[in-house]
């Protein structure tokens, strides 16, 4: 058996230095691929987080707008129909109290 041939047939393996260089190259390629994939996933996660934050800001803006509209409607109702507004507030308080007890 020659020093270049493997013990069980197949391709010659080469010197230990060649094997070490090939293994090092393979590990470097795998590490590069893993780094690229990590950067890709990180970029996608950052994009997703940015979209979620933007949607949260939009929702907060809409909630503020609705709250302003409700405040304006309540103020107008108090001025125009104070007794009806008081009755609605009493009913709402009664319903909330009943829900709180159960």
């Amino acid at each position: 058996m020659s020093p270049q041939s493997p013990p069980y047939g197949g391709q010659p393996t080469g010197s230990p230095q060649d094997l070490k260089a090939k293994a090092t190259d393979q590990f470097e390629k795998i590490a590069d691929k893993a780094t690229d994939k990590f950067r890709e996933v990180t970029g996608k996660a950052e994009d997703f987080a940015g979209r979620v934050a933007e949607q949260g800001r939009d929702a907060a803006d809409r909630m503020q707008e609705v709250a302003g509209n409700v405040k304006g409607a309540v103020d107008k109702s108090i001025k125009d129909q104070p007794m009806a507004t008081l009755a609605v507030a009493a009913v709402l308080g009664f319903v909330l109290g009943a829900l709180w007890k159960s």
Side-chain angles (χ1 to χ4, degrees):
M1 199 184 303
S2 71
Q4 292 292 322
S5 63
Y8 301 108
Q11 299 290 331
T13 57
S15 70
Q17 290 81 14
D18 290 343
L19 288 175
K20 183 179 177 182
K22 287 179 184 177
T24 301
D25 288 343
Q26 288 297 321
F27 284 129
E28 287 175 356
K29 287 179 184 177
I30 291 171
D32 289 343
K33 286 181 181 179
T35 300
D36 292 344
K37 188 55 87 171
F38 180 76
R39 286 183 180 146
E40 178 185 338
V41 169
T42 301
K44 288 180 180 179
E46 288 174 352
D47 290 344
F48 178 74
R51 287 193 307 268
V52 168
E54 181 65 30
Q55 289 176 352
R57 284 189 291 272
D58 290 345
D61 290 344
R62 287 191 299 270
M63 286 175 39
Q64 285 179 341
E65 184 179 334
V66 168
N69 291 342
V70 168
K71 182 183 180 307
V74 169
D75 288 345
K76 184 175 189 246
S77 177
I78 288 171
K79 288 177 186 173
D80 295 346
Q81 300 173 343
M83 294 306 286
T85 305
L86 181 62
V88 168
V91 169
L92 185 61
F94 177 79
V95 169
L96 288 175
L99 289 174
W100 185 269
K101 274 190 168 185
S102 63

